[in-house]
Amino acid sequence: MSRLADLINELCPDGVEYKPLGEVAELKRGSGMPKKMFMDAGIPAIHYGHIYTKYGIYTKVASAYVDKANSQKLTLVYPGDLVVANTSENLEDVGKAVTWLGESVAVTGGHATVVRSSVMNTVFLSYYFRTEEFSRKKQRYSRGTKVIELSAVNLAKILIPIPPLEVQCEIVRILDQFTTLEAELEARRAQYKYYRDRLLSFPEKK
């Protein structure tokens, strides 16, 4: 934390500027990609629904694949790109994102927007998109009742913090450490529950 404080004092002592996402990133809306396209192997495919059911902040492995022919109809996702879910059945999930860190180019389809930036760390953005601050902002730009949509056009309008890249990277490093600790704690909780139930389960005397 001390390194982060030092970086902030050095690089942005007067605070951090906020800008619309569309001013610091290129946004491209996907289209197509029904689930019937999915295969067990092929080109990695990031489905919008998987963003809030199968992925965390970033991923190196896709939960679905499509063949080469179908991939040519879809929107490309390069390593380092952010993929944002544009629709959901609730406000909590709409606007969630995952950064693609796989070794090859992936694809995405409808109800998702690819965000690409040369001045933003997209893992930093992915973390930010899950904050209470972003949640309040996205509510103002989301539309619908049964199906909630945060369009690419409206997503581009949302003000986001633009700290220096070094600060972004240090924040990501710190949050990644906490994420690892959280995963370890969750594994220990599961292990504890398993052994608790096993150790306190006895055969009934006949």
Side-chain angles (χ1 to χ4, degrees):
M1 290 291 191
S2 60
R3 171 167 165 73
L4 177 59
D6 290 342
L7 285 172
I8 290 173
N9 288 333
E10 178 187 351
L11 301 175
C12 44
D14 298 324
V16 170
E17 186 176 10
Y18 278 68
K19 291 183 179 179
L21 179 63
E23 287 189 14
V24 295
E26 173 191 354
L27 283 72
K28 187 171 184 181
R29 183 72 184 256
S31 63
M33 201 167 81
K35 290 183 178 180
K36 64 182 181 182
M37 283 188 181
F38 292 168
M39 305 173 64
D40 292 331
I43 308 298
I46 302 175
H47 187 264
Y48 82 98
H50 292 165
I51 293 174
Y52 42 77
T53 59
K54 296 182 180 292
Y55 297 128
I57 298 298
Y58 53 81
T59 186
K60 296 179 180 179
V61 180
S63 293
Y65 299 86
V66 297
D67 62 28
K68 187 174 181 179
N70 280 319
S71 73
Q72 294 173 353
K73 309 170 189 175
L74 302 170
T75 302
L76 297 178
V77 182
Y78 292 98
D81 284 351
L82 187 74
V83 184
V84 185
N86 291 117
T87 60
S88 174
E89 295 179 354
N90 58 71
L91 273 169
E92 180 184 356
D93 287 331
V94 72
K96 278 189 177 177
V98 61
T99 299
W100 172 243
L101 295 180
E103 295 182 356
S104 63
V105 174
V107 293
T108 194
H111 308 295
T113 292
V114 176
V115 177
R116 188 171 300 143
S117 177
S118 60
V119 297
M120 297 296 298
N121 181 319
T122 53
V123 178
F124 170 86
L125 284 177
S126 189
Y127 274 117
Y128 180 72
F129 279 21
R130 301 197 185 208
T131 63
E132 289 296 325
E133 180 176 280
F134 182 78
S135 179
R136 291 192 297 271
K137 291 179 179 180
K138 74 181 180 182
Q139 289 182 35
R140 301 192 343 242
Y141 290 98
S142 298
R143 302 290 181 266
T145 51
K146 291 185 178 180
V147 176
I148 311 297
E149 179 174 14
L150 176 62
S151 69
V153 172
N154 281 334
L155 180 62
K157 298 175 184 177
I158 296 179
L159 296 176
I160 61 167
I162 318 292
L165 200 53
E166 286 181 74
V167 173
Q168 295 178 42
C169 292
E170 180 62 12
I171 289 172
V172 166
R173 187 190 69 79
I174 293 169
L175 291 177
D176 278 352
Q177 287 184 332
F178 279 113
T179 301
T180 300
L181 286 172
E182 185 178 29
E184 290 174 355
L185 284 171
E186 190 59 37
R188 286 186 178 276
R189 287 191 195 102
Q191 186 181 43
Y192 162 76
K193 183 177 180 182
Y194 169 78
Y195 281 107
R196 179 198 64 194
D197 292 348
R198 186 173 178 181
L199 292 170
L200 294 175
S201 177
F202 303 95
E204 187 175 350
K205 187 175 182 180
K206 295 181 181 179

